[in-house]
Amino acid sequence: MSSSRRLSVIVPVRNSTDTLARALAGILSSELPRDDYEVIVVDDASSDGSSELAARYADTVVRLTGRTSGPAYARNRGSELAQGEVLVFIDPDTLVRPDTLPRMLATLAEHPTLDAISASHDGAPAARNLASQYWNLLRRFGEQRQTGTSGDVASPCAAIRRNVFYAAGMFDEWRFGTAPLEGIELGERLEDSGRNVLSSRCLEVTRLKQSNARSLCREVWNRSILLARSLGYHRTLAAVPGEVAFTLSRTGAPAFAIACAFALSAAFLRRPNLPVLITIFLLGMLALDLQAYLFFVRERGVRFAIGAAPLLLLLQGTSALGLCAGWLLRDTFGDRAPDAAMQAYAEVGLETWPPVPRAGAG
Amino acid sequence: MGVGGTEDLQRSDRASQAHAFADAIVTEKPEAGDRSSFPSPNVVNGSDSRRRTPRVSVIVVLPENHVVSPDRLAQGLRAHGDQPVDVVVACAGQPTNLAALQKSVGDAQFLLAPAGTSTEDLRELAMRQAPGDIVTLLRAARLPESGAEAELFTRT
């Protein structure tokens, strides 16, 4: 009945009712004929009625129960039901444009050697508050400078050939239970196996989610820890330099050096003038992040750039702490892994519903 | 050597844990509306029941003024294979051939929403009633053709 479908859109959701309807409506407004694609929503144990809301738009809704398992697990469950030749993973807080899906499909059709393609954020997020605008611009800043060899084959919107996805071992459900870097890890695996991933700057999508300083700190903290603990900082920097954690942490070492220099100089001064020292330090930080600030000025003006400065400093500090925590955890406890019992269930290959999370096979 | 031996021992322990877990769940039968979490000590202790396969539901939405023949509905549901599914048919208003539809899919749950209920509302309503872990929502227009008498038509 639906074997003719060319594309399967998979949307993992977790308590996403605030943005889900708009995101799914965006998918359904695609220029692609409706019978050419299916929409699979995987509800990761939501408590806010996300699955009922998803039913208004989707062809299939998967309800996962129990504790939350993360977007990697949810995406994998959706892909197991997918019938399309191409899988498209779209975040529930992402609005695609009517031409996004056909363009992805056309690009993959025109370039048979291309295995996956990912979109980037546009410059006009739906939420108008400073934190949301700033976060969107920061990610866009990284994506526009992306010159790496790999990409994020998950967020915010990415397409991959189904056979390639299965051959690569799907997303790693063990290490990426809660943090959102499973797409980068899959991209690296694809690259290692000689597959081609394109991070497109032309394919743009709109971010719908409203953020605040606290949610951004949590996001940066999770990303930074996982980056240092599981992915490897330098390896990932070479593959995906546009990742937001790199944008934030690139100036970490020089900033730390400047801070130490000023602290030392203050120790030798008879009467250190603290305001002057702090001002010089902040000017030094500004100089280090000049490219980012110039980008902010270009996109939003001087007032926005000035307003975003405290947020940038806050997130840089959070990222630095997260990276240190990640390195410490890696050297102390090793890489992330599920508890021993869960590993055992996976080893035996026990069939249960929902399935036991599994590691991404290389 | 020593490390490898420890790993083997740990692996063996984990495997025995897993087999114990498997034995625990095999003795349990699926129950309606069963919702459980990933393997946890509670599961192994048998305080939580699990299933080996997901429960599947199929929702068929019949908007107002749409009539689908019983044959076509039954064939559309058969297309989902031999696995047992919970069928929910959500209708806006009462279909004229309701009795025939009920006869063709005997185990189906029919939801009769007031006439004028939108397709989206019908889908959401049916989703609330569907017990499945995997819920497929069929559009009436995508039900398969099954002969001349099984055409989908719109009342005028």
Side-chain angles (χ1 to χ4, degrees):
Chain A
M1 187 165 57
S2 48
S3 57
S4 62
R5 277 168 173 157
R6 301 159 67 194
L7 199 138
S8 294
V9 180
I10 297 163
V11 184
V13 305
R14 163 80 180 160
N15 292 337
S16 308
T17 48
D18 51 342
T19 59
L20 184 61
R22 210 172 153 196
L24 293 176
I27 294 168
L28 293 190
S29 68
S30 171
E31 291 167 357
L32 213 58
R34 183 63 184 90
D35 285 347
D36 275 9
Y37 67 96
E38 62 178 340
V39 180
I40 301 172
V41 175
V42 185
D43 178 19
D44 189 8
S46 293
S47 56
D48 67 345
S50 288
S51 60
E52 285 81 10
L53 182 61
R56 298 174 74 90
Y57 305 91
D59 297 305
T60 303
V61 178
V62 181
R63 288 192 282 215
L64 302 175
T65 50
R67 68 187 180 203
T68 179
S69 308
Y73 181 91
R75 287 192 180 100
N76 280 352
R77 298 293 79 75
S79 72
E80 287 166 349
L81 299 171
Q83 296 171 321
E85 296 155 19
V86 172
L87 309 179
V88 179
F89 300 105
I90 300 178
D91 287 347
D93 59 356
T94 296
L95 178 65
V96 295
R97 296 176 181 177
D99 65 345
T100 303
L101 299 182
R103 283 179 67 189
M104 283 181 146
L105 214 48
T107 307
L108 288 171
E110 287 166 14
H111 303 89
T113 56
L114 186 65
D115 297 300
I117 179 170
S118 60
S120 55
H121 291 89
D122 65 13
R128 305 310 298 172
N129 64 321
L130 178 71
S132 305
Q133 296 274 326
Y134 160 75
W135 181 248
N136 190 76
L137 269 190
L138 195 67
R139 295 193 70 172
R140 183 170 159 78
F141 174 68
E143 287 163 354
Q144 295 297 311
R145 289 156 48 95
Q146 171 87 275
T147 52
T149 54
S150 183
D152 187 345
V153 194
S155 298
C157 171
I160 182 171
R161 298 183 197 278
R162 188 174 63 165
N163 58 338
V164 172
F165 181 69
Y166 289 159
M170 305 161 80
F171 289 114
D172 186 330
E173 300 169 7
W174 275 7
R175 291 188 297 167
F176 302 93
T178 52
L181 297 181
E182 71 275 8
I184 290 178
E185 192 271 342
L186 176 62
E188 289 183 2
R189 258 189 288 144
L190 290 172
E191 187 202 354
D192 290 344
S193 58
R195 302 290 188 174
N196 295 313
V197 180
L198 172 68
S199 294
S200 174
R201 297 177 196 178
C202 305
L203 277 171
E204 293 189 336
V205 293
T206 303
R207 186 171 184 270
L208 298 172
K209 190 176 179 180
Q210 178 153 338
S211 303
N212 55 41
R214 189 177 169 189
S215 68
L216 293 186
C217 284
R218 192 165 54 238
E219 171 105 22
V220 168
W221 173 261
N222 286 336
R223 280 177 175 268
S224 300
I225 282 190
L226 202 61
L227 200 63
R229 188 177 182 186
S230 298
L231 288 175
Y233 188 88
H234 292 289
R235 181 167 176 264
T236 312
L237 178 61
V240 195
E243 158 60 25
V244 70
F246 295 128
T247 307
L248 290 167
S249 63
R250 191 168 286 137
T251 55
F256 184 69
I258 292 173
C260 288
F262 277 104
L264 274 173
S265 64
F268 287 103
L269 293 174
R270 186 175 291 174
R271 283 187 177 178
N273 190 334
L274 210 55
V276 171
L277 286 175
I278 290 174
T279 305
I280 294 173
F281 171 74
L282 290 176
L283 286 174
M285 290 294 293
L286 184 70
L288 286 172
D289 289 316
L290 195 58
Q291 279 188 317
Y293 284 113
L294 287 175
F295 182 77
F296 292 162
V297 170
R298 257 198 324 273
E299 295 274 333
R300 285 286 188 287
V302 178
R303 282 179 64 187
F304 180 87
I306 293 170
L311 260 178
L312 186 58
L313 286 170
L314 175 68
L315 295 190
Q316 282 176 325
T318 308
S319 179
L321 287 174
L323 288 170
C324 291
W327 282 316
L328 197 64
L329 286 167
R330 186 193 61 191
D331 291 342
T332 311
F333 301 107
D335 200 353
R336 278 170 63 98
D339 57 65
M342 194 176 287
Q343 289 185 46
Y345 305 143
E347 279 176 24
V348 171
L350 207 56
E351 285 183 25
T352 61
W353 179 265
V356 178
R358 54 173 178 248
Chain B
M1 187 74 180
V3 174
T6 308
E7 280 181 357
D8 289 344
L9 192 63
Q10 285 173 342
R11 198 164 291 136
S12 166
D13 287 347
R14 289 207 300 265
S16 61
Q17 271 182 306
H19 283 297
F21 171 68
D23 291 342
I25 67 163
V26 163
T27 56
E28 291 163 351
K29 292 179 180 176
E31 291 173 8
D34 170 28
R35 293 287 147 89
S36 54
S37 61
F38 286 130
S40 65
N42 285 343
V43 178
V44 180
N45 291 337
S47 62
D48 190 7
S49 60
R50 292 184 60 83
R51 283 167 283 129
R52 282 182 183 274
T53 54
R55 190 167 178 168
V56 179
S57 294
V58 176
I59 292 173
V60 182
V61 176
L62 301 179
E64 193 177 10
N65 294 335
H66 273 72
V67 178
V68 66
S69 80
D71 287 349
R72 192 169 176 180
L73 178 61
Q75 191 178 348
L77 296 173
R78 273 199 299 274
H80 284 267
D82 296 331
Q83 60 179 330
V85 294
D86 304 294
V87 181
V88 179
V89 183
C91 317
Q94 183 167 327
T96 50
N97 59 348
L98 178 62
L101 290 174
Q102 285 175 324
K103 196 175 174 185
S104 67
V105 279
D107 296 335
Q109 180 184 358
F110 279 77
L111 298 177
L112 302 180
T117 306
S118 70
T119 305
E120 288 76 20
D121 287 342
L122 281 176
R123 292 163 72 97
E124 184 171 347
L125 184 70
M127 187 71 188
R128 290 184 198 282
Q129 301 298 320
D133 301 300
I134 298 172
V135 182
T136 303
L137 296 110
L138 290 181
R139 285 170 282 150
R142 276 193 70 86
L143 290 174
E145 300 290 345
S146 63
E149 79 285 0
E151 287 179 359
L152 175 71
F153 60 91
T154 303
R155 278 194 307 211
T156 54

